[in-house]
Amino acid sequence: MELRLPTEQQLRRVYERDLKMSFPAAELRPLPVICTLTRGGTYRPWCLFDGEEIVGEAFVLGFAPGWALFDYLCVDASRRNDGLGSKLIAKLLEAERGNVVFGESEIPDYAPDPDMARRRLRFYRRNGAQQAAYDTAVFGVPYHTLFWAERAVTDGELMAAHQKAYHDRFPPSAYRRFIQIPWDISMGVPKKIPWEE
């Protein structure tokens, strides 16, 4: 199996087949945005190929040298429970060597499916993810912050990079309305809003 970047046609196919089936609208970046970012070189929609068949995806946003925001991890429904998720993470970390890879995973207490959110967190931890000391809320979805790093990273460095990843993508008014980094329950549970890039 090989991790490589897909053609735009392959990207469109896996978006429809895998991502739209696996993520609610409030958590899914629109396909035209992904295609534009990919063409611009800042977005890397890594795909795991088994021969010519794409069996999973691990998408990252490379917004600054040394940092990559882990956007989505997905395995083809027909190939789940086959160890491909762990293989994807291992290959992603090889492909992104030298970068601190970080992202979000739903906080179980606020997730529509708390058991699934707990399983997802356990999966990421089994695959080497560390949990940062701060949480976030992005478009109304509360998340724990997870990261993989080959070097020492402080929570302050990570939070600054996290803020930059979103601040660079949205106008200031949208950032203030939809992105909360850090977030905690004292700020209230936000209302889920679909991506509006």
Side-chain angles (χ1 to χ4, degrees):
M1 289 192 188
E2 179 187 8
L3 192 72
R4 64 180 192 260
L5 296 173
T7 65
E8 189 163 308
Q9 182 181 9
Q10 289 169 328
L11 173 58
R12 290 176 182 279
R13 193 164 58 246
V14 297
Y15 185 91
E16 293 295 326
R17 184 193 73 187
D18 295 343
L19 274 73
K20 279 180 82 172
M21 299 298 119
S22 301
F23 295 95
E27 298 177 38
L28 193 55
R29 207 181 279 268
L31 178 60
V33 173
I34 289 177
C35 289
T36 299
L37 292 172
T38 300
R39 280 186 227 113
T42 57
Y43 201 80
R44 296 185 287 277
W46 293 108
C47 290
L48 185 63
F49 285 78
D50 185 359
E52 288 307 307
E53 178 191 3
I54 297 174
V55 296
E57 305 85 36
F59 292 4
V60 298
L61 176 68
F63 62 93
W67 300 92
L69 175 64
F70 192 175
D71 221 10
Y72 301 108
L73 177 78
C74 199
V75 171
D76 178 354
S78 69
R79 300 288 298 266
R80 290 192 181 146
N81 302 314
D82 203 14
L84 291 179
S86 295
K87 189 179 291 281
L88 261 168
I89 289 179
K91 287 189 172 289
L92 174 69
L93 296 176
E94 286 175 26
E96 295 290 329
R97 179 157 277 133
N99 288 331
V100 174
V101 177
F102 67 95
E104 301 111 5
S105 190
E106 272 188 297
I107 298 174
D109 290 348
Y110 310 107
D113 185 341
D115 288 336
M116 174 60 77
R118 278 189 279 278
R119 285 196 301 273
R120 195 174 290 127
L121 280 168
R122 285 194 299 270
F123 164 78
Y124 284 127
R125 289 177 183 140
R126 275 196 318 272
N127 284 280
Q130 301 175 63
Q131 186 170 322
Y134 69 92
D135 295 324
T136 66
V138 179
F139 282 86
V141 180
Y143 296 104
H144 287 311
T145 303
L146 305 176
F147 69 100
W148 292 261
E150 296 174 331
R151 62 178 177 84
V153 178
T154 68
D155 283 313
E157 282 180 283
L158 185 59
M159 189 186 305
H162 208 157
Q163 290 166 337
K164 178 176 174 44
Y166 284 100
H167 199 272
D168 288 355
R169 293 259 48 90
F170 295 98
S173 60
Y175 182 90
R176 284 192 300 273
R177 285 181 63 203
F178 304 128
I179 313 297
Q180 295 168 289
I181 304 171
W183 172 86
D184 67 55
I185 191 58
S186 70
M187 300 164 77
V189 178
K191 181 181 177 210
K192 289 187 181 181
I193 303 158
W195 277 85
E196 294 183 354
E197 280 191 283

